[in-house]
Amino acid sequence: MALVFAILGFSSAFAAYPDRPIKVIVPFAPGGGTDLVARTLSVPMADDLKQSIVIDNKPGGSTIIGTDALAKSPADGYTLVVATLAHAVNPSLKAKLPYSQDKDFAPVILVGISPNVVVVSADSPYKTFKEFFAAAKANPGKLSYASQGGGTSAHLAGELFNSIAGTKLTHIPYKGAGPALTDVIGGQVDVMFATASAVGSLVDSGKLRALAVTTPARSPSPQLSMLPTVAESGVPGYSAGSWYGYFAPAGTPPDVINKLNVSIKKGTQTSAFKTRVESEGLIIKAGSPEEFAKFVKAEELRWQKVIKDANISAD
């Protein structure tokens, strides 16, 4: 009888979920694309769940610091993390992680995928992606591409391009997107496969020229919709992009996971969220936890091969 009451007590406790504020860890400093997604979604989530959503920025270690904080949190639905591409590639870049990639996380939802944008200086001789591609093929090893550091989305997108297109662009890593884009603008580096959030204002102001997007389909964003994809511009099969998704600690009750999934899904459909992420060209997915789990595993395997073939290591 005591066991029955204990089970009933456990069930009723989670039936009342949430009865206190929920913390969302953002494994980056404030102000970036991940922070924007988390803070924008926190408003409709708070309205739907009738609880405060507290954003906790824990940058560092290529998102490992924030991700590890989640892994060591109670599995009660009161701590989440917003993960990105880094979550899928860190196991291939790091010799050792402080958590188990396969055992410590419960997928909640894939919010969406946004393209990287292939950009060159406004003074670049390349007016289209096809012109740039032709020059890269004709001059192996002579053209360069910038990234915000080893193992980042810009680096991986460039190496995937080299692999599929048969080019030999030289990678020039920087400590952050800012200095990398400064040298692209100045012409010291030929091109960058940059995140849309990092280059939007620079393209709008005429400092950079956008040539293509890296996702399989053209972006629905008004700012990016006229750009061709890399795949349609002579590199079939090419696909690279940034993504955002929520994880809870492993062992979080399925009912709680589903409640969070539904709440976040509702948030992605609000006009406020769609307007805020429009500049990034985010393609909203918002499927089931199971779909997110399959997506992350596929990302891990896909980038594992690119990292191994190109002998990539984190800075």
Side-chain angles (χ1 to χ4, degrees), residues 77-128:
Y78 290 96
T79 308
L80 306 172
V81 73
V82 184
T84 64
L85 174 67
H87 182 86
V89 302
N90 277 335
S92 297
L93 293 172
K94 307 290 184 179
K96 186 176 182 181
L97 293 171
Y99 50 77
S100 169
Q101 183 82 349
D102 296 325
K103 297 179 180 179
D104 288 344
F105 307 105
V108 177
I109 192 168
L110 172 64
V111 173
I113 304 171
S114 62
N116 283 27
V117 182
V118 185
V119 292
V120 296
S121 167
D123 298 323
S124 170
Y126 311 120
K127 301 296 192 297
T128 67

Side-chain angles (χ1 to χ4, degrees), residues 169-189:
L169 301 179
T170 300
H171 176 226
I172 310 295
Y174 290 80
K175 293 189 179 298
L181 288 167
T182 295
D183 277 6
V184 175
I185 292 169
Q188 288 89 347
V189 185

Side-chain angles (χ1 to χ4, degrees), residues 295-313:
F295 172 83
V296 173
K297 180 53 66 175
E299 284 285 275
E300 289 178 15
L301 295 174
R302 183 164 76 99
W303 291 113
Q304 182 183 65
K305 183 178 187 307
V306 174
I307 290 166
K308 181 179 179 180
D309 291 348
N311 195 27
I312 297 173
S313 63

Side-chain angles (χ1 to χ4, degrees), residues 138-190:
N139 299 279
K142 294 183 179 179
L143 273 65
S144 58
Y145 77 98
S147 81
Q148 63 269 49
T152 59
S153 63
H155 182 195
L156 296 174
E159 287 305 325
L160 181 65
F161 177 73
N162 276 339
S163 174
I164 296 178
T167 54
K168 293 183 179 180
L169 301 179
T170 300
H171 176 226
I172 310 295
Y174 290 80
K175 293 189 179 298
L181 288 167
T182 295
D183 277 6
V184 175
I185 292 169
Q188 288 89 347
V189 185
D190 294 296

